Every structure is written in structure tokens, then in C-alpha cells.
Amino acid sequence: MIRLLKLYLLSENDFRRLFKEECAQLEKEFFGTYKIGGGGIKNDGFDLDRFLNDQNTEAFAVILHKILTEKELTNNQTTKNIAALAGFAQYDGTTIQTFIINNLIFNDPQKGNELKILFEAVYTALQQGFFYKVSDIHPDQLIGEWLSTKETGQLRINYNMTNFMPLGDTIHLIVSRYNNDFLRFSCLAKVMDYDTKKEGELTVRETFINIQDGYIHHHYLDEDGFRFLYKSPVFGFDGSRFETQIGDIGFAFEKMKK
């Protein structure tokens, strides 16, 4: 549904006029890097922090309010808007129709207007300042072991290439000092060995982080040094609890007792 929201925003003239750089990023995502004709969209996240700041948040909220009050957001109206995007001009009608059917989750009559619900959720969060109430913490405050108490998805690897089966969505996070500039951010999931039936933990994600202005900056390390991956906000830190995102998955963590 997030990919549908992004495509819908591309069809809004006010969004295109005020957020030109973000439109260019989204157009590259849909019509460049992944190619409509290639079968689909790989990125189902939407990094609002990539383009929103204190100066333009209100303008973005106005655009969302206009969409919510003036647009039907029905399947037919949404399809018509999206199909008219200039990026689709390079494809024939059959390719466009196949792409829309295969890649966009439309409103289920039994669940209500899901696209409208998503727009409302983003609009409400903007009105309440949710996206910008980050916790400006010192990196050393994250050092220790944490256990997730809430997850919006499963942080996982390709278990088909292993002899393990994941057990639940809970993540055991270990944050340790790597060097003067970086911390090691290790995410372990509970798994079971198919052969021995023994349970244990497996590292499913590991990055090297530093923290700037309330955001965790994730990096990977190769032979050329540290390479930036993405940043994620830290919310509600009180010394024993915090919330953040790992990739596109949201987590709430509590510090484990020694």
C-alpha cells in the first residue's frame, strides 16, 4: 500500500511542484532503477525524513489534507491518476495494466479504503509532530543488550540457504563499541536447527552505527572502509526503552537486565 501512496503523490501537481527532488527520487525508483517492464518495485518503504524538514512539513501536510478532502481515493480514480503519469508513457497499455494488477494492492471492500486510511495516518502523524520528536542521545547510551517488545515485521535472512527455522519476530539487539567512531549494531533472531531441534540465536543483520541529532546512521564495512546505508530515528528513549527502525521494520526495544 505504501508503494501506491508514493505513486499517487507523483500524480499530484502540488507535490511535484514543491518537492521536485523527492519526485526525481521516486521516479527513479519506479521508472528507472527497477523498470516497470521488469516486473515490479523492490522498495516498499517511504523515507519521509529524506525530504521533510521544519520548513516544508506544513506544506506537505496541506497537500495530504487536500487529497483527503477533495479526492475519492477509489480504485478507479486511483488507477486513472497513476496510469496518467508521464513515466508510464514509455510503456504500452498492456504492460501498464499488468504492472498495476501485479504490484499495487488496491482497496479491499471488506477492509475499507486502505489508501485513505494510510494517508490519514501520515497526515495525523505530521499534525502531531510524530516524525520529528526524536531523542537526541549520546551513542554510549545505546551500548548494551536489548530485546524487542514490538515489531512491525520480521527481520530475517534467506533461511532457505541455512539449516535453521525462525522462531517468532523478537530481536535480541547487542550494541557494542567497535572503535572510537562506530558502534557495532548486531541483531540476533531466535532459530531452531532442523536436524538437532536445538534452539539458539543467529545474527540476521549487523551494521556499524554512529548517532547524529537523534538519528542512527547505519553503515556497512568493506575493504574501502565504512559505507553509509541509511539513517533511522530514535524515539522515546528513557534509558531503558527506545523505538527505532531497522530497514523498513519498526521496533520497540527494552534493555535486558543483567
Side-chain angles (χ1 to χ4, degrees):
M1 190 57 68
I2 290 177
R3 63 185 64 167
L4 181 55
L5 180 147
K6 291 188 289 186
L7 272 173
Y8 196 98
L9 283 173
L10 279 175
S11 73
E12 286 293 311
N13 290 331
D14 288 342
F15 183 77
R16 299 187 64 85
R17 176 173 56 84
L18 296 175
F19 297 95
K20 295 179 181 179
E21 291 185 5
E22 178 60 18
C23 281
Q25 289 286 340
L26 292 177
E27 287 175 340
K28 181 180 179 181
E29 178 180 318
F30 288 112
F31 306 115
T33 307
Y34 301 122
K35 299 294 184 184
I36 298 299
I41 309 167
K42 306 295 184 182
N43 182 9
D44 201 19
F46 193 16
D47 185 4
L48 293 173
D49 295 311
R50 182 171 66 188
F51 69 96
L52 289 183
N53 54 53
D54 291 337
Q55 286 70 48
N56 63 21
T57 300
E58 184 176 351
F60 184 59
V62 169
I63 293 172
L64 297 186
H65 184 263
K66 182 178 179 180
I67 292 172
L68 287 168
T69 56
E70 297 182 9
K71 303 299 173 66
E72 297 177 0
L73 297 178
T74 59
N75 289 343
N76 288 339
Q77 187 254 326
T78 299
T79 302
K80 183 178 179 180
N81 278 32
I82 290 175
L85 287 171
F88 280 119
Q90 59 190 299
Y91 305 104
D92 60 79
T94 301
T95 299
I96 297 171
Q97 185 178 21
T98 300
F99 168 81
I100 290 177
I101 292 173
N102 291 341
N103 292 279
L104 300 181
I105 304 172
F106 283 82
N107 298 313
D108 184 340
Q110 296 182 347
K111 296 182 180 179
N113 194 321
E114 294 178 273
L115 179 59
K116 184 175 183 179
I117 291 171
L118 181 56
F119 268 117
E120 287 174 340
V122 176
Y123 177 70
T124 300
L126 288 174
Q127 291 294 95
Q128 296 176 352
F130 175 78
F131 293 110
Y132 295 95
K133 292 180 181 178
V134 296
S135 301
D136 194 3
I137 64 174
H138 189 278
D140 287 347
Q141 291 178 281
L142 281 189
I143 291 178
E145 297 191 39
W146 307 79
L147 197 65
S148 66
T149 59
K150 182 177 68 174
E151 310 86 13
T152 63
Q154 187 180 68
L155 193 62
R156 55 181 296 144
I157 59 173
N158 184 0
Y159 287 101
N160 293 330
M161 305 298 292
T162 74
N163 202 40
F164 298 106
M165 177 179 72
L167 301 175
D169 299 337
T170 301
I171 290 296
H172 176 198
L173 171 65
I174 302 176
V175 182
S176 57
R177 173 63 61 183
Y178 180 75
N179 60 22
N180 289 335
D181 298 319
F182 289 92
L183 302 177
R184 188 191 299 269
F185 191 93
S186 304
C187 301
L188 291 76
K190 191 174 182 180
V191 297
M192 183 181 72
D193 189 298
Y194 279 111
D195 294 332
T196 66
K197 305 304 180 183
K198 290 184 177 180
E199 296 181 4
E201 290 188 325
L202 182 70
T203 300
V204 293
R205 187 75 57 88
E206 186 169 83
T207 57
F208 298 89
I209 67 168
N210 51 38
I211 300 176
Q212 303 174 33
D213 300 323
Y215 287 84
I216 300 174
H217 290 242
H218 292 263
H219 304 74
Y220 71 93
L221 180 61
D222 62 17
E223 63 273 10
D224 295 320
F226 293 95
R227 302 291 187 180
F228 176 75
L229 287 169
Y230 64 94
K231 67 178 182 178
S232 56
V234 178
F235 295 116
F237 182 87
D238 64 3
S240 61
R241 184 183 182 279
F242 75 95
E243 295 187 32
T244 191
Q245 287 179 273
I246 303 174
D248 291 333
I249 303 175
F251 289 91
F253 288 103
E254 286 190 2
K255 198 157 194 177
M256 299 176 65
K257 296 179 180 180
K258 295 182 180 180

